[in-house]
Amino acid sequence: MSDLRTPSVEAFLDVIVGVKDKDQAYSLIEDIFTIREIKETSQRLAVARMLDAGKPYVAIEEATGASATTIARVSKALNYGSGGYRIALDVLGAAEGE
């Protein structure tokens, strides 16, 4: 993954970290990503939340429309990835007052 940390990626990370609120974040993702990319990324986060809650694949498929392949990829990243999904879930939990 170290090949991914290019100067351009580092600049993008600086932008993400520098975003001040949800409105700025929305404007950023709306301009940078396609509608499909936004929906797919949001779907993966919903899948991660449901996996973390112990929901079975079939229930996740029905609730999110995600394929079994997508659910398996998210599960693998959630359990064996670099911790990004865990960070996201922790942020969501804090935002919801958990």
Side-chain angles (χ1 to χ4, degrees), residues 32-44:
I32 291 178
F33 300 109
T34 65
I35 292 170
R36 181 177 177 175
E37 290 168 334
I38 295 167
K39 287 181 177 181
E40 288 174 352
T41 303
S42 299
Q43 180 189 61
R44 288 184 200 121

Side-chain angles (χ1 to χ4, degrees), residues 76-96:
K76 182 178 178 183
L78 183 61
N79 292 307
Y80 305 108
S82 60
Y85 276 114
R86 176 56 44 208
I87 292 166
L89 294 172
D90 290 347
V91 167
L92 288 172
E96 294 170 353

